[in-house]
Amino acid sequence: MIELQNISKIYKSINGKTDALTDVSLTISEGEFVCIMGKSGSGKTTLLNIIGCMDKASSGEYCLDAVNVSKLSANKFDRLRREKISFIFQKYELMSKYTVYENIELPMNAKRISRKEKKQKITDIMKRLGIYELRDKFPKQLSGGEQQRVAIARAYVSDNKYILADEPTGALDNKNTQEIMNIFEELKDDGKTIVLVTHDEEIAMRGNRIIRLLDGKIMEA
Ligand SMILES: Nc1ncnc2c1ncn2[C@@H]1O[C@H](COP(=O)(O)OP(=O)(O)OP(=O)(O)O)[C@@H](O)[C@H]1O
Ligand SMILES: [Mg+2]
């Protein structure tokens, strides 16, 4: 469970300070598919990064599965992220030197899984996402939609509970967008908790709850 209480984030730089989030309180239960909306600069990525343990809040309390994240050391903070969170970005961030298969395999290398089980799991998800035929290709040989499916397969095999996505369909056409959204729905049916940032109302309707941000504050949750 994701529990934020009075979370604020202030970015300080030589140009002054920006209140990116102000007093955000929010609970997301296991198995929910939540979409975050709001205009550019409203704090969506900042909120996702805090939820995903990529960044810490300036004040307030964040508990992830009853662990008070705000109080963790840097090491424990990083470990918590690795064990629980998978990120999917607008740009797919695949490793260019690795094949499709190797890219999907990467998050599994850190876990204690037999080689046979690993292969089985990767093969299954590649078939489900229609990228099995692409397994020996390199990222630059794939279309945007194909690359995004590889990124989703990689998040899936990590078997982390929380899948966070920042505009995952932002660079895709309508057909690929629909396909990717179907995959998110399947991941939800598999019991994953999904938090997805989008500008698109139609996409946001596919989740079961919309959180709207305006100037760093929650308008609707
Ligand atoms: N590293 C940073 N340093 C300083 N200010 C930042 C930093 N990151 C974000 N901001 C500011 O914080 C505010 C929220 O930014 P954020 O990236 O969370 O918005 P967003 O809703 O994701 O926008 P977009 O839809 O354009 O991606 C903005 O005013 C932005 O300029
Ligand atoms: Mg953003």
Side-chain angles (χ1 to χ4, degrees), residues 62-86:
Y62 173 30
C63 292
L64 179 62
D65 294 340
V67 173
N68 189 337
V69 173
S70 330
K71 295 203 170 119
L72 290 181
S73 66
N75 274 340
K76 289 193 172 146
F77 183 66
D78 290 342
R79 193 185 329 146
L80 187 74
R81 178 179 57 244
R82 274 199 311 276
E83 286 174 354
K84 296 199 184 258
I85 314 272
S86 286

Side-chain angles (χ1 to χ4, degrees), residues 112-216:
R112 256 177 264 147
I113 312 169
S114 73
R115 198 177 331 159
K116 194 174 156 212
E117 196 187 333
K118 222 169 21 179
K119 193 170 173 192
Q120 183 68 52
K121 203 165 175 185
I122 296 172
T123 304
D124 282 350
I125 190 69
M126 282 194 302
K127 285 186 174 161
R128 233 170 99 189
L129 298 184
I131 51 175
Y132 182 70
E133 310 302 323
L134 305 173
R135 62 194 176 279
D136 296 322
K137 286 196 167 185
F138 290 89
K140 67 170 189 295
Q141 300 173 305
L142 308 179
S143 75
E146 288 165 349
Q147 287 183 57
Q148 194 59 299
R149 275 179 275 161
V150 176
I152 290 181
R154 190 175 56 180
Y156 177 82
V157 300
S158 74
D159 210 21
N160 291 346
K161 264 165 73 175
Y162 298 97
I163 298 187
L164 309 188
D166 200 348
E167 298 269 4
T169 57
L172 303 178
D173 64 18
N174 190 51
K175 181 170 167 285
N176 277 304
T177 295
Q178 296 312 324
E179 262 183 65
I180 298 291
M181 291 313 295
N182 291 341
I183 297 163
F184 275 106
E185 273 167 12
E186 281 182 39
L187 288 170
K188 182 201 170 331
D189 293 341
D190 281 346
K192 308 283 185 193
T193 305
I194 300 169
V195 185
L196 185 149
V197 168
T198 179
H199 276 109
D200 187 327
E201 288 283 347
E202 212 175 296
I203 288 173
M205 298 297 289
R206 310 267 305 247
N208 25 51
R209 179 150 67 110
I210 299 180
I211 293 166
R212 287 180 206 276
L213 288 177
L214 180 66
D215 296 335

